[in-house]
Each structure stands twice: as C-alpha cells, then as structure tokens.
Amino acid sequence: MRVSDHHLDALRERGYMIVDGFLTAAEVADARAALWEEFPSPEAYFADPAAHAQLQDGQFAGNRRGPWSSWVLNRLTFHPDLVDAVRRFLGSHDLRLYKTELWAKYSGGVDHDQVLHRDFSNHTLVVPKATDPARQMTSFLLLSDVDEGDGPTKVVPLADSAEVPYWPARLRAGELRDHEVSVTGPAGTLFSYRSDVLHRGSAITGHRRARFTLLADYEVWGPRWTGKCAWPDTANRPGWTELVERATPDERALFGFPRPGDPYWDEQTLGDVTLRYPGLDPRPYREAMR
C-alpha cells in the first residue's frame, strides 16, 4: 500500500503516522510463517513457558537484530512502498537502512512498561537540530494484531511535548501519560515516527498474549554521527548472502553496497564479489564500467 501524502504530513507535524493495511493479507501470512523460524509461536510458547526462559530475561530478550534466515522477513525491511515513503519524507533517494530488528514479546514473563523517551539518544552522537529535525525515519511493522491488552507502543504528539527539552532524552515515570496515543491495529499496520518524538513500550495486560513487530530505521547517507549498526559485522550471518543476491542494485545500496558506476568497481573487485555472492547478477556493474 503506497503511503499517502496525508500520512507523511502527519509524520512531519505530529511526529508519527499510523497506516492501517500497509501490508496485504498474503504478506502478513508469509511473514508470520517465517517468524516461527526465529521465535516460538504463541501456542508453542504458552504450552511450556519454562522451555523458553531465555525470552524472559528482560525487555529486550526477544529482540533479534537483522538480517535473519528468512528472505521474506529481510525483504519487508526494504518493502518498495516503505522505501517510497522514506524517500518522500526525507527528500532523498540516497537512503541508508541503518538498523533492522525483529521483536517478540510474550505476556507473563517480563514487565514491558517503559518511561517515555526519544530514540535519538542511541541513533546519533549529538541531538536533533530543531530547525531541521526530520533526518531519520524509524518504523514498526505490526506482524500481529495489537490492542490495549497487547502492550501497544504509546506515543506523544509533538504539539504536546513542544516544551520538553531534547535532553535528557528520557522523562520521569508517569510524565505526559495523559497525552499518550496508543498504537493499535491489525497485523500489517505500519507505525513510523521521528527519532525526536516521545514514545514508550507499555505493559502487556492481556492473558496469554504475544506481540511481534519488525523494525526498520532509515536516514539519508552523509552524517558521520548517526546510525545504529554496521552491516559488515553481520555479513557472515545466515540470510545475508541471499539478501544481497536477490536484492536489486538500488536495494543493495540501502545497506551501503557500492552502486553501479562507483569507482570501487573494476574487473578484479567484480570478479571477487561474484565469487563471494554467486547468485548476484554482475551485468549492471559491468555495464557501468564501460
């Protein structure tokens, strides 16, 4: 589903947008089938929670940094309609996908309640520039239905936090809770927000509930003081080779892969890179070398 200009205006002005039906029913079904390669299904988890004790070690115990073994899940992080929305919001085609995560939360084992905070504190070494803050776009794709019992993300519209200084990036417990909006919706909903908007995870209050989200964070290539992870550090993990081989040249560039025409490419580098990634089509790179 192509994100509307109206939604992007909300992202600029309120600091967040919620897009119902962003993924099709088929995309949701495929993603959920792939999820069980990474996490136990709710049925499997609640049949024997003790067998999955590692998922009860803390709020981030169910967080898995990408890439993953599933092409279906990796592909969602650069879904064409998501990339299109990011390009229009950030005003550039030269995008960097700087972090991907899968996050599973199950009721009963962990208190997922957080204080309101702004994500920029570990997405940049400095603080957002107040006159031009929209330099990053972070996104959650809901891969399960989320209602008030499922621990929805809570977000504060920018107008209600305009007087709150950027630092410290975390508020005291209970601050601004009267201004929170719950991010609820069916599986397939897209929630995107600016890294300077206040938000938090909330407690899962429903019985035998499980919540699954896929996260993808984007920015424009350039600043040396922003980011979250280095893809070369993950390039030997399962799923990376398939990601590189199946992505288009433009999609590879989201991860920092050199584009066709970059001075990096010559006969030696192209030959060795195709040995590393045998399924990669070298023609766009070779044609740009002529």
Side-chain angles (χ1 to χ4, degrees):
M1 173 184 176
R2 192 169 195 262
V3 175
S4 70
D5 291 340
H6 173 74
H7 282 113
L8 293 179
D9 288 342
L11 180 57
R12 293 184 185 95
E13 296 163 12
R14 291 204 303 263
Y16 68 94
M17 66 178 182
I18 301 172
V19 184
D20 293 337
F22 177 77
L23 296 180
T24 66
E27 287 173 326
V28 170
D30 289 345
R32 286 183 63 81
L35 271 176
W36 316 142
E37 300 174 19
E38 301 289 336
F39 300 108
S41 68
E43 295 77 12
Y45 178 88
F46 290 114
D48 187 6
H52 309 287
Q54 74 277 8
L55 294 171
Q56 304 170 19
D57 289 340
Q59 288 187 348
F60 296 92
N63 190 289
R64 302 281 187 271
R65 184 72 59 84
W68 312 285
S69 59
S70 166
W71 163 253
V72 169
L73 293 174
N74 288 327
R75 183 71 180 87
L76 287 181
T77 66
F78 51 99
H79 188 290
D81 289 334
L82 177 59
V83 174
D84 173 70
V86 179
R87 285 172 173 167
R88 290 154 56 210
F89 178 67
L90 296 182
S92 175
H93 278 62
D94 192 21
L95 299 178
R96 177 189 182 199
L97 176 54
Y98 69 89
K99 187 262 288 177
T100 64
E101 293 172 335
L102 280 174
W103 202 345
K105 297 181 179 182
Y106 302 86
S107 63
V110 176
D111 180 4
H112 293 286
D113 202 50
Q114 298 176 333
V115 298
L116 286 166
H117 59 278
R118 293 177 168 118
D119 276 353
F120 76 78
S121 65
N122 62 353
H123 291 231
T124 177
L125 300 179
V126 286
V127 301
K129 189 172 183 178
T131 57
D132 187 24
R135 296 291 85 201
Q136 294 175 319
M137 176 175 159
T138 56
S139 296
F140 282 45
L141 274 171
L142 305 188
L143 298 182
S144 57
D145 297 342
V146 175
D147 64 24
E148 286 295 337
D150 295 301
T153 301
K154 307 284 186 173
V155 61
V156 177
L158 287 175
D160 295 324
S161 61
E163 302 304 317
V164 180
Y166 273 148
W167 199 261
R170 295 166 60 87
L171 302 190
R172 295 185 297 272
E175 276 193 276
L176 292 184
R177 296 232 169 160
D178 290 344
H179 298 276
E180 293 178 341
V181 175
S182 291
V183 181
T184 59
T189 297
L190 171 67
F191 165 54
S192 293
Y193 61 100
R194 291 169 26 169
S195 64
D196 62 336
V197 78
L198 287 165
H199 66 287
R200 68 180 181 89
S202 68
I204 300 177
T205 57
H207 179 60
R208 295 171 67 92
R209 299 290 188 94
R211 176 175 176 264
F212 302 93
T213 52
L214 182 147
L215 287 63
D217 298 350
Y218 280 88
E219 64 185 5
V220 179
W221 281 102
R224 291 173 290 181
W225 49 85
T226 61
K228 193 73 185 287
C229 70
W231 293 115
D233 188 49
T234 70
N236 292 319
R237 289 175 54 180
W240 178 259
T241 295
E242 183 182 24
L243 188 159
V244 170
E245 292 178 343
R246 295 182 66 169
T248 67
D250 279 348
E251 291 168 344
R252 293 182 196 115
L254 297 171
F255 297 85
F257 204 89
R259 293 180 181 274
D262 190 282
Y264 167 80
W265 295 110
D266 60 22
E267 288 299 334
Q268 175 263 309
T269 57
L270 186 59
D272 286 338
V273 166
T274 52
L275 287 175
R276 180 172 182 175
Y277 302 107
L280 182 146
D281 181 359
R283 289 175 295 180
Y285 304 93
R286 175 160 286 114
E287 290 169 1
M289 288 164 47
R290 294 172 183 168

